[in-house]
Amino acid sequence: MLESQQLPFEIMDMAVSRSGQPQFPESTGEFEKSNDLAGTMQLGAMFGIWYLLNIFFNIFNKQVLKVYPFPATITAFEFGCGTVMINIMWALNLCNRPKLTRPQILAILPLAVAHTFGNLLTNVSVGKVAVSFTHTIKALEPFFTVLFAALFLGEKPAFWALSSLVPIAGGVALASLTEASFNWIGFCSAMASNVTNQSRNVFSKKLMANKEEALDNINLFSVITIISFILLVPAAIFMEGFKFTPSYLQSAANQGLNVRELCIRSLLAGFCFHSYQQVSYMILQMVNPVTHSVGNCVKRVVVVVSSVFFFQTPVSPINSIGTAMALAGVFLYSRAKRMNPETKPKAA
């Protein structure tokens, strides 16, 4: 997301260009043939890096939250890592620093609030239940996408998109009934993150409808990250107090917490958190949004499977069937969007 925790496909689809249509690099036939193999290898490498960063983020994030159960503080720290990385990129002119106007900031603010809550609630869930279960619940995002698009944007869902929601909902229900790590706080937090993430979709589409206020997708994500950091720091202090002070860490160390490992894994989680989202946008510039959405579905499968093996999560046969049903439904949903004429990408 957000896929977790990056901006979803629907936001990316709107943010690719100010005209609302995906942009593809122009090329001649001869040039395209000579670069086809190199381009395919580069794209494959990018997808591999995207998946690996996701896997490592989920592993490090879970390890930190298991021994340091302060999700607001951890989420704020991860946004802080992203904020530092963004400012370094702007300082080195790796990407253009946007010149924001007051109307733009006011338009982006609701999006950032939804983004903040989405990531915070996801971390609350990860801290309470298995990583694989959190991602299974988050497979319900397409359900809320269809619901909110119909309620607030007046979009009528296609038949196949609606049909794909059946295995998603059934699979999540089946997995929930048989989940060994089931916890109501973890379940409700993951479900609430679906609601906030899809609310973010609605705000984003309304923002992108105004061409004068639109930003390119990289800068939109960067500004949202910085605003989320500014919003969450005081909230984290209010909810959890000062948890990164030397005195608190020393107190935790006296109780057996390895502070050095905690700091290293927190930094690695923050680095992976922001890096995988940046790589995701780089991939989006190379492929059309529907292909990116399918890749995102595969990524969720990779994260679920890798977390099960790494954390030795107990999984019953019925739980496995439910998880597989939900993930298959997400894949079918992305294919259904491709079949919908209104969502098919147009060549530049």
Side-chain angles (χ1 to χ4, degrees), residues 59-251:
I59 289 173
F60 292 134
N61 198 38
K62 179 64 175 179
Q63 288 176 331
V64 169
L65 287 167
K66 281 177 67 176
V67 299
Y68 196 77
F70 303 108
T73 301
I74 293 301
T75 308
F77 183 81
E78 290 166 355
F79 281 138
C81 289
T83 299
V84 171
M85 292 170 68
I86 290 164
N87 280 281
I88 291 174
M89 291 174 66
W90 283 344
L92 297 177
N93 291 320
L94 298 178
C95 61
N96 295 325
R97 184 191 298 268
K99 295 181 179 180
L100 295 172
T101 63
R102 182 181 176 84
Q104 281 180 316
I105 295 175
L106 292 176
I108 294 172
L109 187 58
L111 229 171
V113 171
H115 182 69
T116 303
F117 275 105
N119 284 276
L120 173 58
L121 289 165
T122 298
N123 274 352
V124 171
S125 178
V126 169
K128 293 293 183 180
V129 299
V131 174
S132 56
F133 185 50
T134 296
H135 280 276
T136 300
I137 300 169
K138 288 180 69 64
L140 267 176
E141 279 191 355
F143 173 83
F144 292 99
T145 298
V146 171
L147 177 63
F148 289 171
L151 290 177
F152 300 109
L153 300 177
E155 295 181 4
K156 185 178 180 181
F159 170 77
W160 290 112
L162 280 176
S163 300
S164 68
L165 300 181
V166 176
I168 295 176
V172 170
L174 196 61
S176 300
L177 290 172
T178 57
E179 174 60 37
S181 69
F182 184 87
N183 174 285
W184 277 110
I185 295 177
F187 175 82
C188 293
S189 297
M191 195 66 73
S193 74
N194 287 335
V195 175
T196 55
N197 285 339
Q198 300 320 306
S199 299
R200 182 180 59 188
N201 280 2
V202 174
F203 292 137
S204 180
K205 288 193 175 185
K206 290 185 176 181
L207 170 65
M208 292 302 163
N210 188 337
K211 295 179 182 179
E212 295 180 358
E213 295 180 0
L215 297 174
D216 65 87
N217 51 356
I218 293 290
N219 276 326
L220 176 61
F221 166 67
S222 298
V223 172
I224 288 172
T225 298
I226 294 172
I227 294 176
S228 294
F229 173 64
I230 295 171
L231 291 174
L232 192 54
V233 167
I237 294 173
F238 176 77
M239 291 187 293
E240 299 173 350
F242 293 90
K243 299 303 183 185
F244 269 122
T245 60
S247 60
Y248 180 85
L249 292 176
Q250 181 60 48
S251 174

Side-chain angles (χ1 to χ4, degrees), residues 282-297:
M282 293 170 66
I283 292 173
L284 185 63
Q285 293 175 349
M286 301 169 68
V287 299
N288 66 63
V290 174
T291 301
H292 187 279
S293 180
V294 174
N296 198 40
C297 296

Side-chain angles (χ1 to χ4, degrees), residues 1-52:
M1 335 139 119
L2 12 180
E3 112 108 11
S4 355
Q5 296 177 16
Q6 66 183 53
L7 297 187
F9 160 63
E10 285 77 10
I11 290 184
M12 294 178 173
D13 198 3
M14 297 299 297
V16 175
S17 71
R18 296 193 177 192
S19 64
Q21 295 296 339
Q23 294 178 328
F24 305 98
E26 295 179 1
S27 61
T28 61
E30 194 66 33
F31 177 80
E32 189 174 347
K33 288 179 181 178
S34 63
N35 287 273
D36 185 57
L37 180 59
T40 301
M41 292 179 65
Q42 180 186 4
L43 184 60
M46 294 291 286
F47 270 96
I49 294 170
W50 185 26
Y51 292 175
L52 282 174

